[in-house]
């Protein structure tokens, strides 16, 4: 089989970004709905509404264990399409949920499905590109990806005002259908049959052990978990902080859009600098800078209180950090495992995502009306990521 023909680079980046964006849209589009969900389905414990976000991410993390190996066996495109179909089923069930438990279960199913588009598209990038070129493509894809958090709360708020929070799930279905149709029509299969691996537990276990035998893979996966813990923790409580801490719940979509757009500048900066400076240095800058900023925010929160303007700056810096570290950590982890790219992308995605969720859930439950618990957690996780990369990747 001849190698897959590459799409024009702008179209390829847009296609990859749209599949990544299914995750962002499914999280950020729900943020304006959390107060209504809490009021209707969990009025006695409003913090439980955060499970609508973390349950989705948890399902995605679990699904990630399987989608990569399945794509190594059956090819990339069939697994992406099947995952999108499961995502659609989960969204349809969520739209009809009558209890928080039913909604959480449907969101887990939705997360299981989205693991296909999220993980297998990363394997497609690795099939076609490697090294710093892969990191550069990931940075540009992340740039487009950041536009979705900017507009998703607007879209969610508009849909909720017009049709109620359940209608948000119908927009998820439409998004998934468009993305998967584009992939099916335009992108050729990138894994030829002769390079596919049988779906055998023994071989999967051997390949998994091989992944973790590489220091770059192990360290990058652990650091990725810290970065996801920071991002998920910040997202889980962001609507409550705007509403309860600063009394700006009505203008939340506008502020969140500003934060996402400003944070997206990091992807442009990374794309321009990663070729010259390298991935490890960019990761260290992202983690180290965030540790220092969060330490300052913590001190203000414990003394005079954090002004709203500085909160906006801090939240922007969290998105900025994500733009500097996440794409580079993925590329760095995948570098030595191109021959098992599907499985490798599954392992790093599953371990980092599930661990990130487990780190984020208690941070969300500790919300006490201030920014102190969140700033303390982000400071610790950022410092851990910085020292891990600096000490273990030299």
């Amino acid at each position: 089989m001849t190698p897959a023909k590459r799409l024009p680079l702008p179209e390829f980046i847009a296609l990859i970004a749209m599949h990544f964006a299914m995750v962002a849209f499914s999280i950020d589009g729900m943020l304006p709905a959390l107060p209504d969900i809490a009021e209707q389905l969990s009025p006695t414990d409003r913090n439980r509404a955060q499970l609508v976000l973390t349950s989705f991410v948890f399902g995605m993390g679990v699904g990630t264990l399987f989608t990569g190996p399945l794509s190594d066996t059956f090819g990339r495109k069939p697994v992406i399409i099947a995952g999108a179909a499961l995502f659609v089923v989960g969204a349809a069930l969520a739209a009809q949920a009558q209890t928080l438990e039913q909604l959480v279960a449907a969101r887990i199913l939705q997360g299981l499905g989205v693991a296909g588009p999220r993980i297998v598209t990363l394997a497609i990038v690795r099939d076609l590109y490697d090294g710093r070129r892969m990191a550069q493509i990931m940075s540009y894809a992340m740039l487009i990806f950041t536009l979705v958090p900017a507009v998703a709360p607007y879209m969610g708020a508009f849909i909720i005002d017009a049709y109620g929070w359940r209608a948000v799930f119908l927009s998820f279905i439409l998004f998934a259908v468009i993305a998967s149709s584009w992939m099916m029509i335009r992108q050729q299969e990138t894994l030829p049959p002769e390079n596919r691996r049988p779906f055998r537990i023994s071989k999967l276990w051997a390949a998994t052990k091989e992944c973790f035998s590489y220091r770059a893979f192990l360290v990058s996966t652990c650091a990725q978990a810290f970065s996801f813990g920071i991002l998920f923790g910040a997202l889980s409580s962001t609507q409550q902080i705007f509403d309860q801490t600063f009394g700006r719940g009505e203008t939340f979509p506008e502020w969140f859009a500003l934060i996402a757009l400003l944070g997206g500048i990091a992807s442009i900066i990374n794309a321009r600098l990663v070729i010259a400076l390298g991935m490890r240095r960019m990761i260290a800058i992202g983690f180290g800078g965030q540790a220092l900023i969060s330490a300052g925010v913590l001190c203000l929160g414990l003394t005079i209180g954090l002004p709203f303007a500085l909160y906006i700056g801090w939240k922007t810096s969290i998105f900025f950090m994500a733009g500097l570290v996440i794409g580079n950590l993925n590329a760095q982890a995948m570098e030595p495992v191109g021959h098992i790219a599907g499985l490798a992308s599954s392992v790093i995605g599953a371990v980092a995502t599930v661990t990130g969720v487990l780190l984020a859930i208690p941070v969300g439950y500790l919300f006490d009306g201030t920014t102190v618990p969140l700033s303390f957690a982000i400071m610790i996780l950022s410092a851990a990521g910085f020292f891990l990369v600096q000490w273990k990747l030299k």
Side-chain angles (χ1 to χ4, degrees), residues 219 222-227 230 280 283-284 286-288 291 321 325 329 378-393:
V219 172
C222 292
Q224 184 89 289
F226 294 144
S227 69
I230 292 168
R280 185 172 71 88
I283 295 166
F287 275 134
M321 177 219 70
V325 306
L329 285 170
I378 291 178
M379 178 188 69
I380 296 299
L381 292 174
S382 299
F386 174 81
F387 287 115
L388 180 65
V389 171
Q390 286 296 93
W391 288 350
K392 296 300 184 181
L393 285 181

Side-chain angles (χ1 to χ4, degrees), residues 56-342:
F56 171 82
V57 179
F58 179 80
M60 179 178 65
V62 173
T64 296
L65 286 170
F66 305 100
T67 52
L70 287 172
S71 77
D72 282 340
T73 299
F74 299 106
R76 310 305 190 200
K77 289 176 63 176
V79 176
I80 290 177
I81 302 305
L86 187 60
F87 173 88
V88 167
V89 172
L93 292 174
Q96 304 176 56
Q98 299 301 312
T99 66
L100 183 64
E101 289 74 20
Q102 291 176 359
L103 180 56
V104 167
R107 288 286 280 174
I108 291 174
L109 184 63
Q110 197 181 1
L112 287 169
V114 85
R118 174 186 179 250
I119 292 301
V120 182
T121 48
L122 177 61
I124 288 177
V125 177
R126 181 60 185 86
D127 288 339
L128 299 175
Y129 300 94
D130 59 12
R132 295 186 180 185
R133 176 61 68 183
M134 178 183 175
Q136 188 177 46
I137 290 172
M138 291 293 294
S139 292
Y140 284 124
M142 287 292 292
L143 172 61
I144 301 174
F145 169 84
T146 58
L147 297 177
V148 176
V151 301
Y154 272 113
M155 296 175 62
F158 175 80
I159 294 169
I160 292 164
D161 290 341
Y163 307 106
W165 63 267
R166 296 179 187 277
V168 175
F169 294 103
L170 301 181
S171 66
F172 296 162
I173 293 173
L174 179 61
F175 193 95
V177 169
I178 293 173
S180 57
S181 298
W182 186 6
M183 173 69 72
M184 195 161 47
I185 294 170
R186 290 289 295 157
Q187 177 62 56
Q188 293 184 3
E189 176 60 54
T190 60
L191 185 66
E194 61 269 20
N195 292 341
R196 296 177 188 178
R197 303 165 64 92
F199 193 85
R200 297 174 184 169
I201 298 299
S202 60
K203 290 192 175 183
L204 293 181
W205 177 243
T208 300
K209 290 195 296 183
E210 180 185 348
C211 285
F212 282 105
S213 70
Y214 298 105
R215 175 182 288 192
F217 186 93
L218 175 61
V219 172
S220 297
T221 301
C222 292
Q224 184 89 289
F226 294 144
S227 69
F228 283 163
I230 292 168
L231 195 58
F232 299 153
L235 286 172
S236 293
S237 57
T238 187
Q239 198 281 333
Q240 288 176 292
I241 292 176
F242 269 92
D243 189 12
Q244 299 179 32
T245 306
F246 295 107
R248 297 175 183 260
E250 293 184 357
T251 57
F252 166 69
E254 289 86 348
W255 286 112
F256 194 83
L258 176 65
I259 290 168
L261 289 172
L262 291 177
I265 297 172
S267 295
I268 301 175
I269 293 173
N270 186 72
R272 291 181 175 273
L273 295 182
V274 68
I275 300 296
L277 299 181
M279 292 177 280
R280 185 172 71 88
R281 187 172 297 179
M282 297 304 298
I283 295 166
I285 291 171
F287 275 134
Q290 186 53 233
L292 293 175
I293 293 170
S294 294
V297 169
L298 176 62
C299 291
L300 286 174
L302 290 171
T303 53
I304 63 174
L306 184 66
F308 180 69
L310 291 182
Y311 170 74
I312 294 297
W314 174 49
K315 186 69 74 171
T316 300
S317 75
I318 294 172
F319 277 77
F320 201 90
M321 177 219 70
L324 292 182
V325 306
I326 292 178
N328 288 323
L329 285 170
N330 271 322
Q332 192 167 248
M334 294 290 286
E335 181 63 21
V337 289
H339 57 294
I340 48 172

